Amino acid sequence: MKPLQCVKGMHDILPDEVALWHHLEEKFRALLAQYDYAEIRTPMLEPQALFLRAIGDATDIVEKEMYAFVDKGGDALALRPEGTASVVRAYLQHTLGATMPISRLYYIGPMFRRERPAKGRYRQFFQAGAELIGAAEPAADAEIIDMAVQYIRSLGLSNVRVQLNSLGDAQTRPLFRDALVAYFSQRTERLCADCRRRLETNPLRILDCKVPTCQAEAQGAPVILDYLNPDDAAHFAEVQRLLTLFGIPFDVVPTMVRGLDYYTQTIFEIQGSPDALGAQATIVGGGRYNDLIAQMGGRATPTIGFALGMERLLILVKDLVALSPPPLVFVAGAGEGGLDRAMLLSRTLRAAGLRVLVPFKEGSLRAQLKRANKSGATLAVIAGSEEAQRDAVTLRHLETGEQTEVPVAELVATIEAQQ
């Protein structure tokens, strides 16, 4: 029988890779704690209607990529394709705004999209993200962009540059949409089939198309920055001023629209190395979504957030981070009752925070030490019957063969001093 494989576009994270994942996650949690963010964990399975309402039914995510189905009870469900909609749903369901007028929330977890697998892109992929709910000021935009940049830099990626744009407010969008329709309607023969359809459903998405002919036509398209009202223009200018104050390099990219319909005002991306990630090198993306909470039944609440792709980030940092597990101690039992002594002693050592291996069956001391050498342990503790009478053990350095007798009461301190 042919062995089963994991689902196409999904992947296993093996034990020798997990330490780097832990490193990235712990760095993220530690940094966001400095900004007073708290973790939130939402279900991977949500009502389909949540993403139709939040993301937009004319987006590629909803139209092509979302894993959606009807369950045995007749409920229309979907695996979450992104984290923001779930966080907003939880924020409203549990009335977090009543106790946290400005809510600082973050998440780490798997998302699901049935897109074409590529380098660092999977159909089950992990994102870490942050949402700042209740702050309308441009300083909030600058701080959350700075927070994302500081996280990337903390991993050793110093060459970080932000791409920035503004999408304006709900009054800006219709004016800009009409201008795009007028422009691209004269060029439909040079647009791909998807963009000809987008011209009717969501013309802003044409600006984000990766087909070369569509990208070429988009270069001469109207620029949304020309349609911003004075307040949005001033907001965007202040964000740029603060990023300059922070020393964060950025480029204003007027054609950037992001892939989700809920964005308003500031949007941004942080790019990784195209050599490592390919043409689509975005590792962080985010922006404001001031209208989303109202669209989902709450009161109008200004909000900004970002999400970063963990797999793509791992590709960039795997050669920059050297991780090694704590030293391993092997406990061997010798003589009558040796296994019992080894098992009890291993519990004592683990309670002290040491990483310990112990055999599960009786065996000769020679055989146990052979296993200890193969295990990668640096030290072996030999719990022999003679030493036990003196309430002591033998501590052996496996690389040199040097060994000394150590009282059990001093064993933990002796091991820690030699690591």
Side-chain angles (χ1 to χ4, degrees):
M1 181 181 296
K2 184 178 179 181
L4 293 173
Q5 304 282 321
C6 65
V7 175
K8 181 181 179 181
M10 300 188 182
H11 64 121
D12 299 307
I13 302 170
L14 302 179
D16 62 348
E17 303 170 303
V18 168
L20 186 55
W21 281 81
H22 287 171
H23 176 72
L24 265 61
E25 292 164 3
E26 288 162 7
K27 283 268 192 180
F28 189 78
R29 288 188 169 95
L31 178 71
L32 268 71
Q34 293 180 324
Y35 288 79
D36 197 31
Y37 279 69
E39 184 175 5
I40 185 169
R41 302 186 182 189
T42 61
M44 289 184 285
L45 199 61
E46 296 272 15
Q48 278 187 41
L50 170 64
F51 303 112
L52 294 175
R53 189 184 304 179
I55 298 173
D57 55 8
T59 60
D60 284 356
I61 291 174
V62 169
E63 288 185 335
K64 300 178 179 180
E65 299 169 2
M66 192 164 68
Y67 283 96
F69 61 95
V70 176
D71 74 358
K72 292 181 179 179
D75 294 323
L77 305 175
L79 290 170
R80 62 184 183 196
E82 57 94 46
T84 295
S86 292
V87 171
V88 169
R89 191 266 311 145
Y91 172 85
L92 290 172
Q93 180 176 336
H94 302 286
T95 60
L96 296 183
T99 55
M100 304 167 64
I102 295 182
S103 299
R104 296 174 173 88
L105 305 170
Y106 77 87
Y107 59 86
I108 302 174
M111 311 294 163
F112 303 84
R113 297 182 193 176
R114 199 185 189 285
E115 57 182 346
R116 180 178 298 176
K119 191 168 186 177
R121 290 186 180 274
Y122 300 93
R123 291 176 176 176
Q124 176 181 305
F125 57 98
F126 286 77
Q127 284 188 342
E131 315 292 352
L132 175 57
I133 304 174
E137 297 79 8
D141 304 32
E143 182 182 89
I144 206 162
I145 294 170
D146 183 41
M147 187 167 68
V149 169
Q150 294 307 320
Y151 175 64
I152 299 301
R153 286 177 173 171
S154 76
L155 299 173
L157 297 171
S158 57
N159 187 22
V160 173
R161 195 167 189 95
V162 175
Q163 294 187 342
L164 202 63
N165 195 19
S166 176
L167 298 180
D169 60 11
Q171 284 69 49
T172 300
R173 288 290 190 93
L175 298 174
F176 184 57
R177 184 187 189 282
D178 290 346
L180 286 179
V181 170
Y183 174 82
F184 283 115
S185 293
Q186 306 302 315
R187 295 161 174 81
T188 54
E189 71 281 359
R190 292 187 290 277
L191 299 179
C192 70
D194 276 342
C195 284
R196 288 195 293 271
R197 176 179 52 79
R198 290 167 179 150
L199 188 58
E200 302 295 328
T201 60
N202 193 353
L204 269 72
R205 301 293 303 127
I206 301 175
L207 300 176
D208 199 39
C209 182
K210 301 302 185 289
V211 175
T213 54
C214 297
Q215 289 181 329
E217 293 303 322
Q219 291 303 308
V223 175
I224 194 167
L225 298 179
D226 295 335
Y227 292 80
L228 299 182
N229 64 43
D231 288 343
D232 287 339
H235 183 107
F236 190 49
E238 179 64 3
V239 173
Q240 295 175 70
R241 187 190 71 81
L242 289 169
L243 293 181
T244 301
L245 179 67
F246 295 161
I248 296 176
F250 63 88
D251 299 305
V252 175
V253 183
T255 56
M256 183 172 65
V257 295
R258 302 288 300 144
L260 307 169
D261 278 358
Y262 54 59
Y263 284 118
T264 56
Q265 289 191 319
T266 307
I267 58 172
F268 66 95
E269 293 182 353
I270 300 175
Q271 301 291 318
S273 167
D275 293 338
L277 297 176
Q280 297 183 38
T282 302
I283 52 175
V284 180
R288 277 204 168 274
Y289 46 96
N290 292 340
D291 300 330
L292 179 57
I293 291 177
Q295 290 171 10
M296 293 176 60
R299 294 185 301 174
T301 308
T303 310
I304 186 169
F306 71 81
L308 59 90
M310 298 293 284
E311 287 89 349
R312 296 170 70 74
L313 193 55
L314 280 160
I315 292 173
L316 298 177
V317 305
K318 64 182 180 180
D319 295 329
L320 302 176
V321 179
L323 301 174
S324 58
L328 180 64
V329 178
F330 190 97
V331 182
E336 185 177 352
L339 178 60
D340 288 354
R341 285 194 300 276
M343 295 289 286
L344 288 171
L345 190 56
S346 70
R347 296 176 78 248
T348 300
L349 297 179
R350 287 173 182 142
L354 299 175
R355 193 166 66 108
V356 180
L357 273 181
V358 64
F360 296 130
K361 62 181 180 180
E362 299 279 2
S364 70
L365 180 59
R366 181 178 179 181
Q368 291 182 71
L369 291 177
K370 188 175 181 180
R371 287 182 58 192
N373 280 304
K374 289 183 177 179
S375 73
T378 56
L379 295 172
V381 175
I382 302 171
S385 54
E386 292 184 8
E387 296 97 320
Q389 295 176 12
R390 299 186 292 275
D391 199 22
V393 294
T394 296
L395 185 63
R396 181 184 178 93
H397 290 262
L398 291 170
E399 185 175 348
T400 65
E402 180 184 352
Q403 59 186 43
T404 55
E405 186 171 299
V406 179
V408 170
E410 300 174 11
L411 181 59
V412 171
T414 303
I415 291 174
E416 291 176 342
Q418 298 184 28
Q419 290 184 348

